[in-house]
Amino acid sequence: MARGTARYVCQECGTTYRKWAGRCENCGAWNSIVEETPGPQAAPGPGGARLTPGTALAFVPLDLAAPDRPRWITGNAEFDRVCGGGLVRGSAILIGGDPGIGKSTLLLQVACRAAAERRCAYISGEEAVEQIQARAARLGLADAPVRLAAATDVRDIIASLEGRDAPELVIVDSIQTMFVDTVESAPGTVAQVRASAAALIGAAKRRGVVMVLVGHVTKDGAIAGPRVLEHMVDTTVYFEGDRGHQFRILRSVKNRFGAADEIGVFEMTGQGLVEVANPSALFLADRAPDGGDGRVSGAAVFAGLEGTRPVLMEIQALVAPSSLGTPRRAVVGWDAGRLSMVLAVLEARCGIAIGMRDVYLNVAGGLRVQEPAADLAGAAALLSSLGDSPVPHDAVVFGEIGLSGEVRPVAQMDLRLREAAKLGFVEAVGPARPRRAAPPLPETPRLREIPHVRHLVPLFGLEDGRMP
Ligand code: TYD
Ligand code: MG
């Protein structure tokens, strides 16, 4: 591309075009392509021979001799966990989430908590300071020594990071409202978001400040337009939840300084977000009670793992006769592809005729399961609904199902079992233990090893058409 010529960038996915088009070929979005004039930061191409000579780099050893990067604990245990056990100086954290899910509330609470030990600043481009003050008063946090400002000009924010008593934690809410005047596009466009984030992150790294950026999420779940942001920051976390439910999950999807897939659980109350130290108990609180007629078929408790943390959740299924030519398949909180696979395995390997029925699968409470280890719990819920025979109330289920119907071992079986024991489960249905170097499992819950999914079938009073 010739220097200085305009280029056209899709604001949804960041794809660049030479010509304007009504629809982005990459992501399919309509009217998302906007002209951008390359600013001074536009990267030269591979043949960029015009670079002026630079200064030689000051190399340092790999060995971090100075213990300069201890984790800084904010005091909000769930937030610290998701950030990998505390914040790292000079790091940038991106928090994405739907509007109204509670990002501003969470970060205000984190800032107020952290302000007891460090200098914290909360900069809002969306709300007026009075609105934030009113919220802080309602949350009983008005006394916290957080520095508050309403600003959208990145230069002003960076200037505020100078000086001896500059803030050590800066929250920028949100990156879509920020702008740098070297880029001509409007705030919220890919070019602005990218340039603003680069400037803020660069300043944070130079000054050793922890920079937290809030990013809005588009309908399809990407942090608005700039997926580019995700690789600029050190840590990306999403704040998720279902408006219909009171709990919210903070989930790390990328972390240069810790494990990804770590979750923190909060409950949204009238007093803001309350940390939930024992999420399993919360997720299972609404289960149908045990005993007599109260027992319902079609529900299985899955002993899952979220990052390094075991979490129990209920998987519910409903298998019903279909009145449609093509039966309905609906999932909430589970992967539709995995449901199809489990159904196909039950049909082909166990002779369970499920293909012509409507199937609904739901992870209770609005949770989202990504682990393949949930396959067996899904299968148990499906078979339980089909056979109208409850899964034992005090049993948890886990295991990955392979295409030939074999139940595969899953990671951290001992951790899952211990969490189940804590909540009073006495039985577990799961894969056969791997032979080599398996760590000892706890005594309770007792693990019933199922090498093949067909061994699950007789538990629910169903006939296995293909079993000898
Ligand atoms: P907010 O933090 O403004 O969301 P975001 O920044 O992600 O857009 O959260 C707003 C929602 O949170 C709003 O629907 C009301 C709810 N809320 C409570 O239920 N309790 C509270 O104490 C607060 C402050 C907010
Ligand atoms: Mg907000």
Side-chain angles (χ1 to χ4, degrees):
M1 186 187 306
R3 265 167 54 93
T5 38
R7 54 185 194 156
Y8 298 86
V9 181
C10 171
Q11 303 300 306
E12 295 287 338
C13 68
T15 310
T16 316
Y17 296 92
R18 280 163 178 270
K19 278 198 303 193
W20 188 84
R23 182 166 187 262
C24 173
E25 282 173 21
N26 183 43
C27 67
W30 287 97
N31 280 334
S32 63
I33 296 176
V34 170
E35 178 178 349
E36 280 177 10
T37 324
Q41 294 115 322
R50 295 245 194 151
L51 284 180
T52 47
T55 22
L57 301 176
F59 290 108
V60 293
L62 190 58
D63 174 31
L64 181 63
D68 192 31
R69 288 219 162 178
R71 299 269 177 181
W72 165 30
I73 308 294
T74 64
N76 188 314
E78 297 294 301
F79 183 79
D80 287 337
R81 179 209 311 280
V82 175
C83 293
L87 306 180
V88 176
R89 276 191 69 209
S91 66
I93 301 168
L94 175 65
I95 298 201
D98 291 335
I101 205 72
K103 299 180 295 297
S104 303
T105 308
L106 173 71
L107 292 175
L108 184 63
Q109 289 183 254
V110 167
C112 291
R113 191 74 169 268
E117 303 227 333
R118 307 275 174 140
R119 299 183 295 275
C120 298
Y122 184 100
I123 298 164
S124 180
E126 301 197 333
E127 289 166 289
V129 286
E130 292 78 17
Q131 283 176 294
I132 300 163
Q133 285 164 338
R135 178 184 293 165
R138 230 164 42 69
L139 298 174
L141 298 171
D143 297 338
V146 172
R147 302 165 195 193
L148 182 63
T152 52
D153 189 334
V154 168
R155 282 184 316 171
D156 297 346
I157 298 175
I158 292 175
S160 321
L161 304 184
E162 303 294 329
R164 286 183 66 229
D165 68 301
E168 296 159 284
L169 169 69
V170 176
I171 289 158
V172 174
D173 185 3
S174 65
I175 191 66
Q176 274 90 4
T177 56
M178 300 294 146
F179 73 94
V180 287
D181 51 13
T182 49
V183 176
E184 276 179 22
S185 345
T189 55
V190 170
Q192 271 298 356
V193 165
R194 198 192 275 153
S196 303
L200 288 168
I201 294 167
K205 296 236 181 287
R206 279 194 305 278
R207 311 275 323 164
V209 170
V210 180
M211 180 70 65
V212 180
L213 306 175
V214 174
H216 290 297
V217 159
T218 55
K219 280 169 257 113
D220 55 358
I223 289 185
R227 262 174 225 150
V228 277
L229 272 193
E230 291 201 8
H231 55 251
M232 290 165 69
V233 296
D234 300 300
T235 304
T236 305
V237 303
Y238 281 92
F239 203 36
E240 326 170 318
D242 187 334
R243 295 277 185 88
H245 291 98
Q246 76 283 22
F247 60 83
R248 303 278 182 268
I249 294 176
L250 191 65
R251 184 189 299 273
S252 68
V253 294
K254 159 188 168 174
N255 193 351
R256 285 189 184 145
F257 305 118
D261 283 329
E262 202 65 78
I263 66 163
V265 184
F266 297 89
E267 192 172 353
M268 183 59 100
T269 69
Q271 282 73 49
L273 291 154
V274 178
E275 296 166 48
V276 176
N278 187 350
S280 302
L282 178 72
F283 297 148
L284 297 183
D286 297 332
R287 279 180 90 204
D290 189 15
D293 302 335
R295 303 212 307 167
V296 284
S297 59
V301 176
F302 166 52
L305 199 66
E306 295 283 356
T308 55
R309 183 188 213 184
V311 176
L312 305 190
M313 53 197 109
E314 191 181 45
I315 297 190
Q316 303 170 339
L318 178 63
V319 180
S322 181
S323 54
L324 305 167
T326 312
R328 273 191 71 101
R329 302 273 182 263
V331 283
V332 179
W334 226 47
D335 185 48
R338 286 212 88 82
L339 172 65
S340 308
M341 191 207 74
V342 169
L343 291 175
V345 168
L346 288 176
E347 183 118 27
R349 307 292 179 196
C350 310
I352 299 291
I354 216 167
M356 290 317 290
R357 294 167 191 260
D358 287 341
V359 175
Y360 303 89
L361 197 83
N362 174 36
V363 182
L367 275 172
R368 199 155 55 81
V369 183
Q370 287 155 332
E371 266 192 297
D375 292 351
L376 198 63
L382 290 166
L383 292 172
S384 160
S385 173
L386 191 66
D388 195 19
S389 156
V391 179
H393 198 265
D394 48 10
V396 294
V397 188
F398 57 86
E400 180 180 347
I401 299 177
L403 284 182
S404 60
E406 83 277 16
V407 179
R408 302 210 176 148
V410 298
Q412 308 279 9
M413 281 168 54
D414 51 332
L415 218 61
R416 296 173 200 263
L417 291 173
R418 251 179 255 131
E419 178 74 5
K422 258 197 256 165
L423 282 129
F425 289 86
V426 297
E427 203 184 334
V429 180
R433 301 181 54 202
R435 291 286 158 259
R436 58 199 148 73
L441 293 183
E443 295 269 303
T444 21
R446 194 178 57 80
L447 178 64
R448 184 199 290 242
E449 297 186 12
I450 288 198
H452 193 281
V453 68
R454 69 166 171 264
H455 299 293
L456 203 57
V457 176
L459 300 184
F460 301 103
L462 295 164
E463 287 278 307
D464 177 344
R466 302 244 177 117
M467 265 170 73

